[in-house]
């Protein structure tokens, strides 16, 4: 924090100091971000940089601030930062963490209670004649209650909240959730008169074919 303030002074001697919000985050890479919002500076640094020498922290602060305020980046600072991140131990550690955290994030279709691939195939057979191509199915990293499921078209992935992966979850609830997301697969989002139509009339009509629709919706509401 003090280092950021020092570099800010250096770069903008007469400008008032904005409030600073500086945090280390668990990034999968040597990621750093800087944002100016409502007059406040938000800086997020990879926790991989937490143990870096003070001179490297100065270099990072300088580079981030110079970028943000469109000032020339000092060669000494950028050299220092590059030498540090490319140094053998740091590069190796970054690579190791990227691999282990990256793998964790991709997660798996096999949960404790339900196997999403298996549920998908049974819903596929029952309602779609087995015709839907199976996207990547994965449990969410966290027990999300607001985002129960979503279909990510860009990555052809259905993510299901972990909240369903427990013994008390009725089969119809997880089936309904997947059924809904599979309808998104079948009915891509359309743009009509400039508006995104996510749940079209055909989508909704087909959704009503799910036998335990009311029960399932009740269950989801109570989560
Ligand atoms: Zn939807």
């Amino acid at each position: 924090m003090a280092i950021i303030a020092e570099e800010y002074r250096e770069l903008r001697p007469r400008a008032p100091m904005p409030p600073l919000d500086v945090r280390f985050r668990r990034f999968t890479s040597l990621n750093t971000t800087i944002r100016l919002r409502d007059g406040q500076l938000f800086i997020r640094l990879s926790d991989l940089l937490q143990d870096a020498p003070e001179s490297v922290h100065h270099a990072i602060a300088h580079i981030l601030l110079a970028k943000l305020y469109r000032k020339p980046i000092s060669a000494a600072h950028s050299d220092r930062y590059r030498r540090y991140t490319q140094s053998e131990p740091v590069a190796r550690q970054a690579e190791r963490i990227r691999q282990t955290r990256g793998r964790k994030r991709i997660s798996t279709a096999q949960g404790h209670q339900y196997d999403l691939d298996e549920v998908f195939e049974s819903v596929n057979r029952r309602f779609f004649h087995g015709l839907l191509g199976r996207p990547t199915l994965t449990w969410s990293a966290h027990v999300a209650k607001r985002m129960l499921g979503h279909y990510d078209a860009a990555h052809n992935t259905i993510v299901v909240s972990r909240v369903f992966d427990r013994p008390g979850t009725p089969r119809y609830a997880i089936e309904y959730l997947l059924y809904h997301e599979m309808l998104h697969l079948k009915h891509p989002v359309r743009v009509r008169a400039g508006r995104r139509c996510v749940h079209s009339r055909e989508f909704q009509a087909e959704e009503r074919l799910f036998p335990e629709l009311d029960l399932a919706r009740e269950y989801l509401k109570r989560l």
Side-chain angles (χ1 to χ4, degrees), residues 175-186:
E175 282 188 350
Y176 165 68
L177 193 92
L178 266 185
Y179 181 61
H180 180 97
E181 299 311 323
M182 289 161 79
L183 288 176
H184 279 303
L185 256 178
K186 186 175 169 185

Side-chain angles (χ1 to χ4, degrees), residues 12-202:
R12 311 185 80 206
R14 280 169 297 276
M17 179 79 61
L20 299 174
D21 183 324
V22 183
R23 279 177 222 180
F24 285 97
R25 279 276 170 80
R26 282 183 92 233
F27 286 121
T28 52
S29 63
L30 288 161
N31 237 331
T32 48
T33 61
I34 187 164
R35 254 175 342 125
L36 185 61
R37 208 182 57 205
D38 302 328
Q40 195 176 352
L41 263 185
F42 295 87
I43 295 177
R44 299 293 176 261
L45 302 150
S46 166
D47 59 356
L48 294 175
L49 296 166
Q50 204 149 10
D51 300 325
E54 198 168 299
S55 63
V56 173
H57 282 164
H58 273 284
I60 296 167
H62 168 83
I63 294 167
L64 288 174
L65 291 165
K67 269 191 182 163
L68 182 69
Y69 294 107
R70 297 166 203 276
K71 304 266 187 182
I73 293 172
S74 109
H77 277 315
S78 71
D79 282 352
R80 189 165 297 123
Y81 179 63
R82 208 186 45 240
R83 270 204 310 275
Y84 176 72
T85 54
Q86 290 176 358
S87 67
E88 176 77 25
V90 174
R92 212 181 317 126
Q93 192 198 11
E95 174 63 16
R96 209 187 55 235
I97 289 188
R98 193 185 60 71
Q99 282 181 358
T100 54
R101 288 185 191 168
R103 209 179 298 142
K104 214 181 271 173
R105 190 175 291 183
I106 290 163
S107 188
T108 162
Q110 178 66 61
H112 302 292
Q113 187 64 23
Y114 288 111
D115 175 0
L116 293 174
D117 286 340
E118 182 273 314
V119 180
F120 180 95
E121 287 311 339
S122 89
V123 173
N124 199 7
R125 277 194 305 275
R126 250 172 89 205
F127 298 99
F128 303 95
H129 310 288
L131 290 175
L132 283 186
R134 191 166 78 208
T136 304
L137 297 158
T138 176
W139 290 103
S140 67
H142 304 286
V143 182
K145 290 198 175 173
R146 285 187 53 197
M147 178 89 98
L148 295 176
H150 77 279
Y151 170 58
D152 176 353
H155 299 98
N156 193 32
T157 298
I158 291 176
V159 182
V160 178
S161 170
R162 282 257 175 218
V163 77
F164 290 95
D165 191 25
R166 53 189 186 195
T169 304
R171 174 93 188 179
Y172 65 74
I174 180 79
E175 282 188 350
Y176 165 68
L177 193 92
L178 266 185
Y179 181 61
H180 180 97
E181 299 311 323
M182 289 161 79
L183 288 176
H184 279 303
L185 256 178
K186 186 175 169 185
H187 301 273
V189 175
R190 272 177 307 180
V191 180
R192 212 183 263 155
R195 284 195 54 213
R196 281 162 50 85
C197 180
V198 180
H199 302 115
S200 64
R201 206 177 300 157
E202 303 86 74

Side-chain angles (χ1 to χ4, degrees), residues 4-18 65:
I4 306 265
E6 268 176 56
E7 290 299 329
Y8 186 92
R9 258 302 136 259
E10 184 91 6
L11 211 63
R12 311 185 80 206
R14 280 169 297 276
M17 179 79 61
L65 291 165

